[in-house]
Amino acid sequence: MSVLQPVRGTHDLLAEESRRHRRVEDVAFETARRYGFGEIITPIFEFTEVFSRTLGETSDVVTKEMYTFTDRSGDSITLRPEGTAGVARAFISGGLSQHLPLKLFYRGPMFRHERPQKGRLRQFHQVGVELLGVDGPQADVEVIGLGAQVLVALGLKDKVRLELNTLGDAESRAAYREALVRYLSGHRNELSKESLERLERNPLRVLDSKDEGDKAVVADAPLLTEYLNELSRNFFEHVRAGLDSIGVPAEISPRLVRGLDYYCHTAFEFTTTALGAQGTVLAGGRYDGLISQMGGPSTAGIGWAAGVERLSMLLDETPPADRPLAIIPMGADVGALPLAQRLRQAGFAVELGYSGNLKKRLNRANKLNARAALILGEDELSRQAVAVRDLDTGEQEEIPLVALEDRLARFR
RNA sequence: GCGGGUGUAGCUCAGUUGGUUAGAGCGCCAGGUUGUGGUCCUGGAUGUCGUGAGUUCGAAUCUCAUCACUCGCCCCA
């Protein structure tokens, strides 16, 4: 291993990549703001218990994917593998139950020690939202609608589809889980090795198996919908109707599940087929049991998270870089630096060449995709003016120094 | 964590049955005279052939290990 290599599964984002990345974040935040969400910035590390208790001691994330270390105080610290736990912790430690309902947006790096693949990194980035304190289905519709709108705003509407399911409330889930385990236990010899493990740890996951043998067993398994109580059925109906009413079509996907106990009712995923095995691009659900499980006041919650790298890879075009003005001084003492400072203060993006003759500098200005070159020569200066060359049209004119800001307005 | 593929200049790749100075295109730099770009012409630089061992008179070419990337599984954004 060379220290000159980035750590496995980490990346440097430069130029076009960084602009795509930034675009995803900005569009998500801007859209969330229109839905009334404000930003919360939580630490990227927490006490390990924050994650082990919220994600469940048996989940893959906790058992084998966390970046955990002991700090100099002897505390066990973990780099956050996802965003919800930190937000929930902040909600409790900040006493934010005074401010319900609460709509929070977050963004930033997450860390999971997994085998890297396309669209799956060890340090990756998410944007996400949480809506706390609303237990009715209107919240689900609003949150999913926001997710859909983010994808629309990014131009990805035709590349993703929305899958929706309900897990029912605690009572419905417990009843169903019992029935499912009973059924699957009767078919142990037909299940794959993975699914036998799932049966122990996370039986609902068997429904989602890609193994053909498992699929055959699952085909005759009891259906969750048959175990939904009145309240749960009703809730789901309202979510579906609500999504219809805002023009966000969803496909009901009975095998879409969440394993952890605090999840309930709505589960959804926006998926794409364009990223290989990592098809999920934005996903979330309702987690009414989470905050109380962490020791806070019983509080409803629903949210989603989206993978910034995955979305970034789906963008059709890269946002353009700034198009600066290029100042080209001819001679040493023509005041290029003060002029650059003055124009920058006036709001222009300004590049200053560092070396070379006029031809070379024009060439560089061109490569920077500059809108115009400001040629500062002795002749022009003697007339208190600068030569301004429009690099798109090739037209060149002399502009008096005093009128520069006004006359350059079209290049801003 | 498990299985398959790949790894040659900044980028995309070529490299004959192992043979001596490792190539192309793009990009980069310089020049085509002293203040005018995007085209064109000419010239130039750049590689521990991912890394480390081994086989061999000789390895970018064969073997092994290791690292990274990649595809799939697991899981997930």
Side-chain angles (χ1 to χ4, degrees), chain A residues 276-290:
Chain A
Q278 277 65 241
T280 303
V281 116
L282 184 156
R286 181 168 274 279
Y287 50 86
D288 292 348
L290 173 63

Side-chain angles (χ1 to χ4, degrees), chain A residues 362 371-375 386-399 407-408 410-411:
Chain A
L362 272 172
R371 287 181 187 282
L374 274 55
I375 301 164
V386 339
V388 175
R389 183 177 183 81
D390 184 320
L391 290 175
D392 290 335
T393 65
E395 287 166 25
Q396 188 164 324
E397 61 178 331
E398 206 167 288
I399 296 180
R407 300 278 300 275
L408 291 177
R410 68 193 170 101
F411 295 124

Side-chain angles (χ1 to χ4, degrees), chain A residues 183-400:
Chain A
Y183 170 81
L184 292 176
S185 298
H187 294 266
R188 276 180 179 280
N189 48 357
E190 299 159 55
L191 290 175
S192 66
K193 191 162 64 72
E194 286 81 13
S195 283
L196 284 175
E197 278 177 40
R198 293 187 183 105
L199 181 54
E200 298 305 319
R201 282 173 31 183
N202 198 344
L204 293 194
R205 274 278 170 214
V206 177
L207 299 178
D208 207 15
S209 175
K210 289 171 191 163
D211 182 89
E212 290 304 325
D214 292 346
K215 284 183 181 173
V217 175
V218 165
D220 294 322
L223 294 172
L224 175 59
T225 46
E226 295 165 1
Y227 288 80
L228 292 179
N229 58 22
E230 182 70 27
L231 186 151
S232 299
R233 212 187 326 267
N234 228 317
F235 193 99
F236 192 42
E237 266 323 303
H238 277 91
V239 173
R240 294 177 60 177
L243 287 174
D244 275 351
S245 77
I246 61 170
V248 175
E251 301 169 34
I252 306 307
S253 176
R255 292 189 314 284
L256 200 175
V257 293
R258 291 282 118 96
L260 309 178
D261 285 341
Y262 54 78
Y263 279 114
C264 60
H265 293 298
T266 311
F268 64 95
E269 290 185 2
F270 287 86
T271 60
T272 177
T273 54
L275 293 178
Q278 277 65 241
T280 303
V281 116
L282 184 156
R286 181 168 274 279
Y287 50 86
D288 292 348
L290 173 63
I291 306 259
S292 57
Q293 180 177 317
M294 289 181 77
S298 177
T299 306
I302 178 166
W304 51 253
V308 176
E309 283 83 357
R310 290 183 184 179
L311 291 174
S312 165
M313 283 189 284
L314 292 179
L315 294 183
D316 280 326
E317 19 187 80
T318 298
D322 279 348
R323 297 196 64 192
L325 297 175
I327 294 184
I328 301 181
M330 303 303 301
D333 269 326
V334 291
L337 223 35
L339 179 61
Q341 184 78 349
R342 170 181 149 192
L343 291 175
R344 286 163 172 163
Q345 284 172 347
F348 293 93
V350 178
E351 277 293 339
L352 210 44
Y354 293 103
S355 67
N357 56 28
L358 177 59
K359 180 174 176 173
K360 191 168 296 301
R361 288 178 191 233
L362 272 172
N363 214 314
R364 289 214 184 97
N366 212 46
K367 280 175 190 147
L368 288 167
N369 198 23
R371 287 181 187 282
L374 274 55
I375 301 164
L376 279 182
E378 310 284 343
D379 293 355
E380 291 84 357
L381 280 180
S382 69
R383 296 189 289 272
Q384 288 295 299
V386 339
V388 175
R389 183 177 183 81
D390 184 320
L391 290 175
D392 290 335
T393 65
E395 287 166 25
Q396 188 164 324
E397 61 178 331
E398 206 167 288
I399 296 180

